[in-house]
Amino acid sequence: VFVTGATIIHADLDAFYASVEQRDDPSLRRRPVIVGTGVVLSSSYEARACGVRTAMSAARARRLCPAAVVVAPRMSAYSEASRAVFAVFADTTPLVEGLSIDEAFLDVGGLRRTAGAPEEIAARLRRAVLDRVGLPITVGLARTKFLAKVASGVAKPDGLLVVPPGGELAFLHPLPVERLWGVGRVTAARLHDRGIVTVGDLAGVEVELLGTILGPGAGNHLHRLARGLDPRPVEPGHRRASVGAQHALAGRLRRDELDAILVGLVDRVTRRLRAAGRTGRTVTLRLRHADFSRATRSHSLARPTDATATVLVAARRLLAQAGPEIDRRGLTLVGVSVAGLGGADAVQLALPLDGHDPRALDAAVDGVRARFGTGALVRSLRSAAAEDRAVPHLPD
DNA sequence: TCTGGGGTCCTAGGACCC
DNA sequence: TCTGGGGTCCTAGGACCC
């Protein structure tokens, strides 16, 4: 058996949005802070002490915590803080896999000679994020991604927890099943019904029985996790697979108001696609009814697109298709997303290079990038590939 | 308790293909 | 005419995550 040390870090900023607010406004420090005026998007640990939780209505949060300061979210400030933190990650190791705006996996194996032991790297990373960005961050260190993630969850806030190799099951088995990544309200209730409360209980259940409770896929997955088995490597360069926007509605709307909202959503999504140099094929309309039931309608285009008009036509058709259901049940949320995204990687692979002067191609590519940015470069490469031309046209 | 906005992954049936 | 075995893609729903 080949035993390796714990080299995978899960780094997770504490109460991210609320911490950015406390960093930027000293009067908020050490006070309960709630971010979000409709529902709670994030809350400081001082607010959590009163029982405030994410996704709770802001009204209830105020009742629980009358002393709290409620602030409107500032998404651009959070994006900027996220970029700064990911820059610290990138200075630590090239093997960074972002999971969301405020968390990532880092593989620090192989850095022992240049950067020291993983424990030292982890401690230094926490200090660097605090010094350079001014935000508290919790780090879990373990042999697998899953265990590192569980460790950071247990160590929060402002903590560092190492799961020593060989000590994985002793760490894992006393924990409640809710700690497992992928066990939410529904799965936890199903497990509790059968007396499965801890991860150790879960590990003791036959995988076949677990399959009958949760379905074979989820049963197999959780059974492996409960025994500490998770071979997934840290994969840098993960790209998002969809781009969406949604809007919650208050009360009944006229048709033209609904269409105006739809246009706004499609515009937001396609702008973001174009800014990222991405295109997508599958347009999905997301609906929530007055009784909070949900529905989706989707359509796959013949070709990927980032064009507002193309996506809007598809979205309007899907909305018309859902019309009768909307009339019956009312509508409280509408969303549009585009998935099946292609990008630079796929385009580069599709470029025909045989028989062409690679220097001329490089010069053209560099020219587009320098003058028009990466997004325009990707689009021109894509159109070149689609028409089987080696050298992309420069955009107007 | 009364529910925002952004995502990921899995399952399952049906159409269609070889 | 009816049929096996293997596969992909599309659509819809649902659980889950931050």
Side-chain angles (χ1 to χ4, degrees):
Chain A
V1 177
F2 182 67
V3 178
T4 59
T7 67
I8 296 180
I9 281 174
H10 180 257
D12 196 346
L13 289 153
D14 301 321
F16 178 47
Y17 296 176
S19 293
V20 173
E21 297 300 336
Q22 288 178 321
R23 178 195 68 176
D24 294 349
D25 180 353
S27 75
L28 298 179
R29 291 179 197 166
R30 290 177 297 281
R31 295 183 61 186
V33 174
I34 292 168
V35 179
T37 50
V39 297
V40 177
L41 300 181
S42 174
S43 58
S44 69
Y45 277 87
E46 294 84 358
R48 292 182 198 192
C50 316
V52 174
R53 294 289 178 269
T54 297
M56 181 180 278
S57 76
R60 180 167 178 232
R62 278 179 213 264
R63 281 199 299 277
L64 286 169
C65 198
V69 181
V70 180
V71 300
R74 296 182 300 138
M75 291 310 300
S76 56
Y78 312 144
S79 297
E80 177 51 40
S82 176
R83 268 194 294 277
V85 172
F86 274 78
V88 177
F89 294 165
D91 288 346
T92 302
T93 170
L95 294 179
V96 178
E97 177 182 342
L99 277 186
S100 71
I101 192 169
D102 67 349
E103 60 176 322
F105 288 114
L106 290 73
D107 192 331
V108 297
L111 300 177
R112 187 175 287 272
R113 207 178 284 168
T114 52
E119 293 82 351
E120 296 162 359
I121 297 172
R124 215 161 44 230
L125 178 68
R126 296 188 61 231
R127 269 200 307 277
V129 170
L130 190 60
D131 292 346
R132 288 169 56 182
V133 195
L135 294 174
I137 191 165
T138 294
V139 167
L141 173 62
R143 270 199 293 201
T144 68
K145 283 163 84 166
F146 160 67
L147 283 161
K149 166 114 177 154
V150 175
S152 74
V154 171
K156 273 187 166 303
D158 200 20
L160 167 61
L161 182 60
V162 181
V163 182
E168 281 93 352
L169 298 187
F171 163 69
L172 202 52
H173 282 182
L175 297 174
V177 288
E178 289 88 338
R179 282 280 183 186
L180 293 188
W181 198 12
V183 175
R185 186 177 46 84
V186 175
T187 303
R190 280 187 197 154
L191 293 173
H192 289 170
D193 283 350
R194 287 163 177 82
I196 302 166
V197 179
T198 67
V199 179
D201 295 339
L202 194 60
V205 177
E206 291 291 326
V207 65
E208 291 78 12
L209 176 58
L210 214 49
T212 63
I213 300 171
L214 304 173
N220 211 334
H221 180 63
L222 285 187
H223 191 250
R224 293 181 62 81
L225 292 187
R227 291 154 65 219
L229 303 175
D230 176 21
R232 296 170 292 184
V234 174
E235 292 184 58
H238 254 200
R239 315 187 73 196
R240 82 176 57 237
S242 69
V243 171
Q246 60 185 58
H247 183 81
L249 310 164
R252 285 199 173 257
L253 292 170
R254 299 197 316 270
R255 285 259 170 214
D256 59 324
E257 291 172 324
L258 185 53
D259 190 66
I261 288 169
L262 194 70
V263 171
L265 291 171
V266 169
D267 182 56
R268 250 155 74 196
V269 168
T270 52
R271 270 177 199 277
R272 281 161 56 197
L273 284 173
R274 291 190 292 268
R278 311 287 299 274
T279 55
R281 280 191 58 221
T282 304
V283 179
T284 301
L285 185 74
R286 193 175 309 282
L287 304 170
R288 194 184 64 193
H289 302 116
D291 60 2
F292 273 78
S293 61
R294 289 154 211 272
T296 59
R297 293 289 175 273
S298 67
H299 175 70
S300 295
L301 304 166
R303 267 182 295 281
T305 186
D306 59 8
T308 309
T310 309
V311 175
L312 184 57
V313 167
R316 278 187 174 140
R317 210 161 33 216
L318 292 168
L319 189 63
Q321 184 188 327
E325 191 73 2
I326 292 171
D327 290 342
R328 260 201 310 281
R329 313 178 77 169
L331 193 63
T332 57
L333 178 142
V334 59
V336 174
S337 71
V338 176
L341 301 188
D345 296 348
V347 172
Q348 284 166 357
L349 290 172
L351 271 177
L353 291 172
D354 293 348
H356 296 286
D357 179 358
R359 281 169 308 174
L361 180 62
D362 285 347
V365 165
D366 289 345
V368 176
R369 192 202 302 275
R371 290 175 56 191
F372 302 101
T374 303
L377 168 66
V378 168
R379 285 194 296 283
S380 63
L381 287 174
R382 184 180 302 116
S383 67
E387 295 164 28
D388 211 24
R389 286 183 284 105
V391 179
H393 287 313
L394 298 181
D396 297 334

